[in-house]
Amino acid sequence: MAIASKNIFANTTSRSVRAESIDSFGSTIDVNNTKHKRDNSTTSSTGSTADDVSDTSYQFHLKKRTVSVVNNSNSLHFDLNLPPNHSLTEDEHHLCDALSSIVVLDSHSCKVQGLLDTYSAHLIDMGNHLLEGLRDCAPTQLAARVGDFNENLFYEMQDCEKDIGSIILDSGVVGGDVDRILLNKDVQEFESAIREALKHDKLDYRGSYLQTEQTMYQPAHVDYDYPILKQYGGKLFLAFFPLSKEGTFLQLWKATTKDDYDDSTTVEGTVVYVPYGKMLIVPSDTIHGGGFKRGCTGNLRFHLYIELLEDDNEAFEQGELLNHPMNRYTEEHDRRRELCERFVDANGLDRLLGVFFED
C-alpha cells in the first residue's frame, strides 16, 4: 500500500480562513496577439469555475487593477481593467508578454503536452474530497521555514507512516459514512493515477505542506543531494498540487547534461500554473523553484516525494530514500557555483512582482 504523511501537529484551521481570492471580470485582452497586433482590441468573456474541463477562467484581483487569466484552448487572456480602445503603454505590453509566458497546466493542448514531454512530467486529476480533507487538517502555522536565501517559505514535512486517507481521517475533519466512502474513493483513484502515470505498481510517498509568506522567487535547486540522484534518481519523483483554488505556481528549468555543460550559457525558467484539482509530477532531478504568492492562503499546497519500490533498493531499505530529501542550490560539478547563476528567472518575471504576484 502506498504510504503517505502523518499530521504530527494537532492544530487545524477553519476553511473560511482559507477562502480563495477570485473575482468576476469583463473585457479581456488576448495576450498571445499582443506581440503581433497592437490595436488593443478587447473581447468579452464569461468567467467559469476551476472545475471546468475547457474554457477555464482563472481570475485574480490585483493591486490597482484586476487581471483575469483565462485558459481558452490554451490561449491566455487577462483583464487589465482598462477602458475601451485604450492604447497599451510599453510597460503594459511587457506585462502582457510576461503573463503570456505562464503555462496553465489544465488541458491536453499541444503547448501543455509539449511542456510535459520536455520535462518528462505527468499531470493527473485530484479528487475534491481528498483535497478538501488535506486542506482542512493543515496546521494553522506550518512548523519550519525552508532554509534558502529568502526564508519566505513555510513547510511541514509529514511522517512516512500513513496513507493520505489515514492522515485526513485521523484528524477528525471528515464525519459521516458517506464522506468517508467518497474520500476513500478519491485516495484509491489518486494512488492508481500515480501508478499508471509512472508505470509502476509498487510505490511509496511522503508529503509536506508548503506555504508562501511573501513572493520572493526561490533560487533554482534540486530536492536531493547529487550522489542520491546519481544512484537512485530513476526511482524518485516529485509532485506538487494546490490545496486552495488559488492554485500554485512553479518555475522549471531544463537541465543540461555534463557533456553539454557550458558555464557561459544561461537557461531561462518557465513558469507553470497548476490549478486546483491537478497534480504535476516531475523526475527527482528536475531543477525548480517556488516562492510565488497569490491570495490569503499563501498558495497552500502539498509537495510529494515519490519512490518506486523494487525487490531491493541496494543500500536503502524500502521507503528509506524518502527520508533523505535535501535542497541543493549548487552546481553538481562545481559546488562553488550556485545553480541560479546559470539557471535564471523567466524573462519578464520581475515585472510581475507586486502586480501579478504579491510582494
Side-chain angles (χ1 to χ4, degrees), residues 226 230 256-262 330-337 339 342:
Y226 292 111
K230 184 175 182 180
T256 54
T257 64
K258 182 178 180 181
D259 294 336
D260 295 333
Y261 177 80
D262 180 356
T330 56
E331 293 275 3
E332 177 181 3
H333 307 293
D334 186 354
R335 297 298 182 93
R336 298 167 300 176
R337 295 200 60 188
L339 283 169
R342 192 159 61 96

Side-chain angles (χ1 to χ4, degrees), residues 46-59 71 104-107 125 128 245 275-278:
T46 301
S48 54
T49 67
D51 296 326
D52 291 346
V53 175
S54 61
D55 296 344
T56 302
S57 169
Y58 303 103
Q59 304 154 35
N71 191 31
V104 180
L105 301 180
D106 74 340
S107 71
D125 295 324
N128 281 333
K245 290 188 179 179
Y276 183 73
K278 299 291 184 180

